[in-house]
């Protein structure tokens, strides 16, 4: 297995150079994908990297909406998703048509869309956000009423940090809802000195028990900076690879071993190599949709920087 992986990695690095490609990987990617990536990060950091790269090809090791966002930001580059089935069930919980209907019921509300949405949905939204900047982006709007889509739990978390009237779309992440409050309470009893950090896609009852609520990039920063030696981590367990690699002296405990995103795990060394060799699957957004969706993403970037 080890030798097989080494051979694959060598081939990937060769073709990558020939194609003038960069490999971007999300913090939830399988260990061996994180290890070959040029950059590993959260949704916001990956969009920023994509926007800045001078590579001609971006191999996006993540899920579809992330590759789509990269393509929207760099329409002249080729963005490849190694397995086209790698979607996000939460992003599929809202369509442009269902959003248009809801907007008619809330004519005064500004639409804040989580980046975990399709380009068509972003095109119907006023501003985009990620888990790293959702509160800041929402607060930056003039509107007093917000329609927050599609993650009800991230939306609920934002509602605890702002006075704006929040209307929440009933979407959720099927991976993060597996983390239950009793997982946290039990681990706190077992490790009384530990700090608890969770992702804002977790249920409010889980968030209520956490010390910190952060994006995956924020969790990595927190792990580096905290004096705590034991950290209980409430998010998808792929992040533990990076946390352990960057902080060899610290102990990381997953809040739930069940918090696995099956879509993130569809990316393999085999399909990364195949994707670079065959230049597939290219993710591209029709220009009319791209321009509208891009405006929502640009507004987010302007708030963030
Ligand atoms: P981050 O932007 O925090 O990495 O989250 C992305 C995601 O899909 C979480 O489930
Ligand atoms: Fe989507 Fe949840 Fe997977 Fe993130 S972890 S990509 S929100 S299903």
């Amino acid at each position: 297995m080890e030798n097989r992986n080494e051979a694959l990695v060598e081939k990937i690095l060769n073709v990558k150079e020939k194609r003038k490609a960069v490999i971007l990987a999300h913090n939830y990617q399988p260990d061996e994908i994180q290890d070959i990536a040029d950059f590993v990060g959260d949704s916001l950091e990956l969009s920023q990297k994509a926007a800045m790269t001078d590579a001609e090809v971006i191999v996006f090791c993540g899920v579809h909406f992330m590759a789509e966002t990269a393509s929207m930001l760099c329409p002249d580059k080729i963005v490849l998703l190694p397995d086209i089935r790698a979607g996000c069930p939460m992003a599929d919980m809202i369509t442009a048509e269902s959003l248009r209907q809801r907007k008619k019921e809330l004519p005064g509300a500004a639409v804040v869309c989580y980046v975990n949405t399709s380009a068509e949905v972003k095109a119907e939204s006023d501003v985009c956000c990620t888990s790293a900047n959702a509160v800041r982006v929402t607060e930056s709007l003039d509107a007093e009423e917000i329609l927050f889509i599609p993650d009800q739990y991230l939306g609920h978390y934002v509602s605890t940090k702002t006075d704006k009237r929040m209307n929440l779309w009933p979407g959720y992440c099927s991976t993060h809802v597996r983390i239950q409050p009793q997982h946290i309470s039990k681990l706190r009893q077992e490790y009384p000195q530990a700090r608890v950090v969770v992702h804002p896609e977790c249920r409010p009852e889980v968030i209520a028990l956490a010390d910190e609520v952060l994006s995956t990039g924020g969790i990595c920063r927190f792990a580096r900076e905290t004096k705590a030696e034991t950290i209980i981590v409430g998010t998808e367990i792929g992040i533990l690879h990076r946390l352990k690699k960057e902080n060899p002296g610290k102990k990381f405990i997953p809040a739930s071993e069940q918090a696995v995103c099956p879509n993130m795990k569809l990316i393999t060394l085999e399909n990364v190599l195949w994707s670079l060799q065959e230049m597939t699957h290219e993710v591209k957004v029709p220009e009319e949709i791209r321009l509208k969706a891009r405006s929502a993403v640009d507004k987010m970037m302007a708030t963030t920087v």
Side-chain angles (χ1 to χ4, degrees):
M1 180 67 180
E2 193 68 356
N3 284 345
R4 181 167 157 64
N5 276 3
E6 276 172 25
L8 276 168
V9 170
E10 200 182 316
K11 283 188 191 159
I12 290 171
L13 298 180
N14 278 333
V15 202
K16 189 184 83 156
E17 202 180 311
K18 249 191 257 153
R19 297 286 193 201
K20 296 192 172 52
V22 67
I23 299 179
L24 302 184
H26 187 263
N27 288 320
Y28 297 160
Q29 282 292 292
D31 303 358
E32 61 279 15
I33 301 294
Q34 295 192 29
D35 290 343
I36 54 151
D38 295 294
F39 181 78
V40 183
D42 69 15
S43 309
L44 180 63
E45 294 161 342
L46 292 170
S47 308
Q48 287 166 332
K49 275 280 167 201
M52 276 161 29
T53 184
D54 49 15
E56 290 173 14
V57 176
I58 298 172
V59 182
F60 211 108
C61 300
V63 293
H64 192 270
F65 75 82
M66 296 178 177
E68 215 178 40
T69 308
S71 172
M72 275 160 33
L73 291 166
C74 334
D76 303 334
K77 300 193 192 307
I78 296 173
V79 179
L80 303 174
L81 184 62
D83 189 323
I84 201 65
R85 297 168 304 165
C88 168
M90 181 206 284
D92 294 338
M93 289 175 187
I94 186 166
T95 61
E97 184 46 35
S98 57
L99 174 56
R100 280 192 286 272
Q101 292 304 323
R102 187 74 179 115
K103 276 163 62 173
K104 280 187 200 149
E105 294 163 6
L106 297 166
V111 180
V112 180
C113 77
Y114 191 22
V115 69
N116 299 39
T117 43
S118 67
E120 286 82 0
V121 167
K122 289 187 180 74
E124 288 290 333
S125 303
D126 294 296
V127 64
C128 184
C129 74
T130 74
S131 59
N133 58 24
V135 173
R136 193 159 8 128
V137 165
T138 306
E139 277 288 279
S140 74
L141 297 171
D142 290 333
E144 279 314 309
E145 185 167 15
I146 306 291
L147 170 57
F148 193 94
I149 60 166
D151 186 5
Q152 60 181 304
Y153 296 136
L154 176 61
H156 178 272
Y157 175 67
V158 174
S159 78
T160 65
K161 304 278 169 196
T162 175
D163 292 333
K164 294 192 190 282
R165 261 193 332 281
M166 300 281 291
N167 299 276
L168 309 180
W169 195 270
Y172 61 91
C173 164
S174 36
T175 295
H176 282 84
V177 293
R178 295 194 191 129
I179 303 170
Q180 300 281 345
Q182 55 271 30
H183 296 143
I184 308 283
S185 332
K186 191 165 170 281
L187 287 169
R188 272 224 196 260
Q189 274 184 349
E190 240 177 279
Y191 302 96
Q193 309 296 337
R195 300 274 285 161
V196 177
V197 58
V198 305
H199 195 274
E201 284 176 19
C202 288
R203 302 165 183 274
E205 311 87 89
V206 168
I207 289 182
L209 298 176
D211 296 311
E212 304 286 340
V213 183
L214 296 165
S215 72
T216 62
I219 293 175
C220 293
R221 263 188 304 282
F222 171 79
R224 274 197 300 275
E225 288 163 13
T226 182
K227 294 227 172 354
E229 283 166 14
T230 307
I231 300 133
I232 297 166
V233 184
T235 193
E236 210 275 349
I237 59 172
I239 198 171
L240 292 165
H241 177 65
R242 179 169 169 197
L243 291 174
K244 289 177 184 165
K245 201 165 147 182
E246 291 181 354
N247 307 279
K250 293 180 182 169
K251 188 176 171 75
F252 296 95
I253 298 154
S256 165
E257 296 276 4
Q258 306 300 313
V260 178
C261 174
N263 298 283
M264 286 282 179
K265 310 306 181 209
L266 287 172
I267 310 298
T268 62
L269 288 175
E270 281 85 354
N271 60 32
V272 168
L273 175 60
W274 175 78
S275 149
L276 274 163
Q277 284 171 334
E278 303 296 322
M279 295 295 274
T280 191
H281 301 275
E282 186 173 0
V283 174
K284 216 155 175 63
V285 180
E287 192 58 7
E288 196 191 324
I289 304 280
R290 187 185 77 82
L291 290 174
K292 286 198 208 153
R294 166 98 199 227
S295 141
V297 175
D298 283 347
K299 275 187 217 147
M300 166 183 83
M301 296 289 206
T303 316
T304 305
V305 206

